[in-house]
Amino acid sequence: MKVELIPALKDNYVYLLYEKIGGPATVIDPSEANPVLEKLDELSLSLNKILNTHHHFDHIGGNEELVKKTGAHVYCSTYDLNRIPEAQSGLKDGDHIDLLGESANILEIPGHTMGHIAFWLAKSKLIFCGDTLFSLGCGRVFEGSLELLWKSLHHLAALPEDTMVYCGHEYTEANLKFVKSLGDESVELSTFEVDLAAKRNLGRPSLPSSIKTEKTLNPFLRAKNLADFSRLRIQKDSFGA
Ligand SMILES: [Zn+2]
């Protein structure tokens, strides 16, 4: 499974999945259509599925035009069926859909929004988790509760540690500042910081991360309990991002 990271809007990532040049493709969270259409053209891919992790405009903005131009089928959570443009099929926790011959597992991970889902490809060891888990961070609570988000993050943390994590935004550098403000001076964090600077200085994405990295460094996953987590998330709200 090949994953193309397409930067879109200010700091979103759209993910294009395909097996081979000239074959079928699936797109995840197309915030806008044009960069996706350009990439499809460049790689001679035909888009047949659009997957949305949640209903926020910066994850669905390209749905209408992509459906019009390619006829792709749109999947999202059953919860979001009535608020995502062009949505056709609703998904629930434990459902599977075929992605280019591989079975993708649907995980319900509410908290950022109530209808938020993730797409987990166990065989390829990939998780697409939208705005729930970020590298060194997590999403804000817009519709759910801190408790729901805490449970969802632990749902993700229970995946195999070598699972690669594809998040909805390039927030890693800002999140690192927050982690450092908490006083983390570990060798692991210093090594991460050097690697991150090397990637970003070359204009490369910081993503994907991995479940192992996030379990080691992400303060929201390392929080001891819900109270600890909640304090941290509220602190982050006023820190910015
Ligand atoms: Zn969002």
Side-chain angles (χ1 to χ4, degrees):
M1 187 75 69
K2 293 185 179 62
V3 183
E4 192 78 32
L5 281 73
I6 306 174
L9 300 179
K10 185 164 156 267
D11 48 31
N12 279 80
Y13 284 124
V14 178
Y15 296 109
L16 190 65
L17 278 57
Y18 66 101
E19 287 278 21
K20 57 176 192 303
I21 307 264
T26 293
V27 73
I28 300 178
D29 284 354
S31 44
E32 42 182 347
N34 278 347
V36 178
L37 291 167
E38 280 165 21
K39 190 56 78 175
L40 290 170
D41 201 38
E42 183 190 322
L43 301 172
S44 305
L45 300 169
S46 52
L47 188 71
N48 55 23
K49 284 189 175 83
I50 297 172
L51 314 181
N52 296 126
T53 59
H54 64 298
H55 74 290
H56 283 160
F57 78 97
D58 59 329
H59 295 257
I60 61 166
N63 278 19
E64 270 174 308
E65 196 180 338
L66 287 173
V67 169
K68 200 162 74 185
K69 298 238 163 90
T70 68
H73 192 99
V74 178
Y75 297 80
C76 64
S77 69
T78 303
Y79 190 95
D80 283 343
L81 268 180
N82 294 322
R83 58 180 184 177
I84 287 188
E86 307 294 337
Q88 287 162 287
S89 296
L91 301 167
K92 284 189 171 305
D93 200 60
D95 281 353
H96 291 81
I97 51 167
D98 178 82
L99 284 195
L100 308 162
E102 180 170 348
S103 175
N105 297 255
I106 309 307
L107 312 182
E108 284 180 7
I109 47 169
H112 176 69
T113 68
M114 284 309 293
H116 203 304
I117 53 174
F119 304 96
W120 175 36
L121 283 78
K123 189 166 143 266
S124 295
K125 301 178 192 251
L126 314 172
I127 180 92
F128 297 89
C129 54
D131 289 356
T132 299
L133 175 65
F134 294 122
S135 184
L136 304 188
C138 71
R140 280 174 189 260
V141 174
F142 282 109
E143 295 182 342
S145 62
L146 286 162
E147 185 172 9
L148 270 178
L149 183 59
W150 162 253
K151 283 185 179 156
S152 294
L153 288 171
H154 281 272
H155 199 160
L156 295 172
L159 296 175
E161 290 198 334
D162 56 354
T163 306
M164 304 310 285
V165 178
Y166 290 84
C167 323
H169 290 269
E170 180 63 66
Y171 284 163
T172 316
E173 285 160 308
N175 289 340
L176 176 68
K177 284 192 188 125
F178 178 69
V179 179
K180 286 174 78 175
S181 79
L182 301 171
D184 184 339
E185 291 177 355
S186 66
V187 176
E188 288 86 353
L189 191 69
S190 304
T191 308
F192 182 94
E193 186 174 10
V194 172
D195 288 350
L196 175 65
K199 282 184 200 158
R200 300 301 290 150
N201 288 341
L202 291 170
R204 294 204 187 126
S206 67
L207 303 172
S209 183
S210 71
I211 293 294
K212 183 170 197 284
T213 298
E214 296 311 313
K215 279 168 79 174
T216 309
L217 297 176
N218 190 319
F220 297 97
L221 291 184
R222 297 177 68 203
K224 285 190 281 299
N225 50 43
L226 175 60
D228 223 33
F229 168 76
S230 302
R231 199 175 333 107
L232 212 54
R233 184 56 261 182
I234 291 163
Q235 197 180 333
K236 180 83 195 302
D237 285 348
S238 50
F239 191 85

